[in-house]
Amino acid sequence: MTDAAGRVQELSDAGLRALESARTESDLLEVKGRYFGKKGAISEILKTVASLPVEEKKRIGAAANEARAALESAFDAKLSRIREQERVAREGKERVDVTLPGRAPAAGRRHPVSRTMGEIIATFQRLGFSVRGGPEIEKDYYNFEALNIPKDHPARDMQDTFYIDGMGGDLVLRTHTSPIQIRTMEAMRPPVRVIAPGAVYRCDSDVTHSPMFHQVEGFAVDRSATMADLKGLLTEFCRMMFGPELPLRFRPSYFPFTEPSAEVDIRCVICRGAGCRVCKTSGWLEILGCGMIDPSVFGFVGYDPETYTGFAFGMGVERIAMLRHGISDIRLLFENDLRFLSQFQP
Ligand code: PHE
C-alpha cells in the first residue's frame, strides 16, 4: 500500500534530518529511539501492515529495512563526527600554552634560629675562631665520661637525655656541643681556638626549653689562656651581638668539666629587668655556661695540664634569638607558622 510506504519514506527523511541536526551523543540516541529503534515509528508501522496481502507486506517490509539501514549508517557517521568534535574541543581546552609567563615561587627566608646561628658563628670567626662539627648521635664517652661526668654522677641529672638502645650500646642524642671539645682535642694539638655549632637534645619542654635546640660551643687551649681572657672575649661577643648598652653579668656556677665555672646572664629583654615569666621574675636571662677547662679533662685527651690551660663556653642559640627579637615562647620557633616566621628579615 502506497500509504504505508509513503509514510516510511516520510519517517526516513524526517529521521535523517533529525540526525543531521543532532549536536550530542544523547541527541542521537533520542532520535534513534524515536524513529528507528525497537519501539520507533518505523517499527510501529510494520506492526500495522500485518493484515495486508503478502506482496504488499513484502514491499513495505523492504522499504522499511532500507530506510532503517540508511538511518543506521547516517547514525554511525554522525556519531563518529560528534566524537571527533568532542575530542578536538577537549584537546583544545587541555592544550598547554608554553608561551605563558611562569609563576614565581614565593621567596623564602632564613629561619630566625639559622640566622642567629650564622651571626654567632660570623662574630666568633672575626674574633679568630675556626668552626668544627660533630655527630648528633654521640657516644656516652664523649658526651659524658670524657667531660668528667662518670656514670651515676649526679651531674647527669642536669642533662637528662634520650638514650639509644642497641647499635653496640652507649649511644645518646648529644645533650650539648661539649663533646666536640674532646673530639677536637683528640685531633689537634694546642693552640686551638674552635667553635662548634649544632643541634642538641634534652628531655625538657616549657616556655624556655625545647627537647631539641641549638648550641654554639667555643673553646681555646694555649700556654696561657686565663679566666680574664674568657671574660673579655664573652663581654666583647655580647657587645657585638646585643650592642654596648645591654647589661650582662657573670655568675659563679658549676659544670663537671670546667673549674672555676660561670654563667653569663643578660638583662631580660622582654621585661627589661622588671621580672616576667620568661626570666622567671629574676630580670635576668642565662645565655651561656663557661669556665676554665678542668685539668682532668686534659687527662682524657693527652694534653699536659702543667703546660696548657684552656677555657670553654656553650651558648643556647634559641635563647639568643629570643632575646634579639623579643620572642616570649621558645616553642614559637618550632611550630613553623608562617605568620610568625615571616615577621623576620629575609
Ligand atoms: N655544655 C654546657 C651545657 O650545655 C655548657 C658549657 C659549655 C659550660 C662549655 C661550660 C663550658 O650546659
Side-chain angles (χ1 to χ4, degrees):
M1 230 185 99
T2 37
D3 234 15
R7 182 90 185 98
V8 166
Q9 188 59 50
E10 268 169 28
L11 286 171
S12 167
D13 292 345
L16 288 170
R17 277 197 304 276
L19 287 175
E20 197 44 51
S21 52
R23 288 282 153 264
T24 65
E25 224 173 296
S26 74
D27 287 351
L28 277 183
L29 290 170
E30 189 270 327
V31 173
K32 178 174 181 164
R34 189 140 50 89
Y35 291 98
F36 57 104
K38 273 208 193 89
K39 293 184 177 160
I42 293 178
S43 304
E44 291 306 314
I45 288 184
L46 287 177
K47 282 183 204 155
T48 66
V49 299
S51 55
L52 297 176
V54 175
E55 283 305 309
E56 279 295 286
K57 270 200 279 193
K58 264 193 193 161
R59 205 169 58 80
I60 292 166
N65 284 338
E66 207 179 292
R68 255 208 217 111
L71 285 161
E72 287 287 0
S73 80
F75 176 90
D76 289 344
K78 185 68 192 257
L79 183 61
S80 48
R81 225 170 349 134
I82 285 176
R83 286 191 175 161
E84 175 65 9
Q85 277 165 3
E86 279 172 356
R87 187 182 64 78
V88 170
R90 196 170 53 240
E91 281 175 8
K93 249 186 276 167
E94 287 170 1
R95 195 167 49 213
V96 176
D97 182 351
V98 295
T99 67
L100 282 174
R103 279 182 215 134
R109 62 186 74 214
R110 294 186 72 198
H111 192 280
V113 171
S114 307
R115 254 189 73 146
T116 303
M117 179 96 105
E119 284 163 12
I120 295 170
I121 292 170
T123 303
F124 279 111
Q125 281 176 321
R126 279 197 276 157
L127 292 166
F129 284 72
S130 55
V131 182
R132 286 178 72 95
E136 290 176 26
I137 298 174
E138 185 55 283
K139 291 201 172 99
D140 184 285
Y141 175 78
Y142 288 110
N143 195 83
F144 294 124
E145 294 277 345
L147 288 163
N148 214 18
I149 315 174
K151 287 205 167 50
D152 306 319
H153 191 284
R156 288 212 177 190
D157 295 344
M158 286 164 66
Q159 300 188 357
D160 192 13
T161 187
F162 302 99
Y163 289 88
I164 295 170
D165 290 337
M167 297 169 71
D170 278 352
L171 291 176
V172 300
L173 291 185
R174 68 181 179 198
T175 58
H176 51 179
T177 41
S178 299
I180 304 173
Q181 287 185 37
I182 307 300
R183 288 180 172 275
T184 302
M185 290 191 278
E186 280 183 351
M188 290 169 71
R189 306 307 305 169
V192 292
R193 288 167 86 76
V194 165
I195 52 163
V200 301
Y201 304 84
R202 290 187 199 176
C203 276
D204 247 349
S205 188
D206 61 40
V207 290
T208 51
H209 296 88
S210 143
M212 189 282 304
F213 61 104
H214 298 81
Q215 286 188 335
V216 175
E217 189 82 8
F219 53 99
V221 182
D222 208 339
R223 289 179 185 271
S224 60
T226 68
M227 188 84 185
D229 296 327
L230 172 63
K231 204 172 169 192
L233 175 74
L234 293 177
T235 304
E236 186 55 24
F237 166 77
C238 288
R239 288 215 180 103
M240 289 166 85
M241 282 301 281
F242 299 104
E245 305 303 333
L246 193 70
L248 69 137
R249 68 177 187 189
F250 284 74
R251 184 164 45 77
S253 184
Y254 168 77
F255 298 101
F257 41 94
T258 48
E259 180 60 34
S261 302
E263 280 171 323
V264 172
D265 299 336
I266 63 175
R267 202 195 55 197
C268 180
V269 291
I270 307 292
C271 63
R272 300 188 186 283
C276 66
R277 73 170 188 150
V278 174
C279 60
K280 305 218 167 74
T281 71
S282 73
W284 293 93
L285 281 164
E286 178 200 326
I287 57 164
L288 62 85
C290 62
M292 298 306 293
I293 297 175
D294 194 305
S296 63
V297 171
F298 286 158
F300 286 94
V301 297
Y303 280 13
D304 177 8
E306 297 301 322
T307 313
Y308 297 112
T309 55
F311 59 75
F313 52 89
M315 62 188 70
V317 179
E318 283 76 4
R319 278 289 171 86
I320 293 175
M322 290 169 74
L323 299 176
R324 297 195 80 197
H325 298 293
I327 299 164
S328 60
D329 189 331
I330 193 172
R331 290 167 292 203
L332 285 167
L333 289 169
F334 299 115
E335 281 167 1
N336 287 334
D337 185 334
L338 288 179
R339 289 169 302 181
F340 170 74
L341 293 175
S342 57
Q343 295 174 52
F344 301 95
Q345 295 289 307

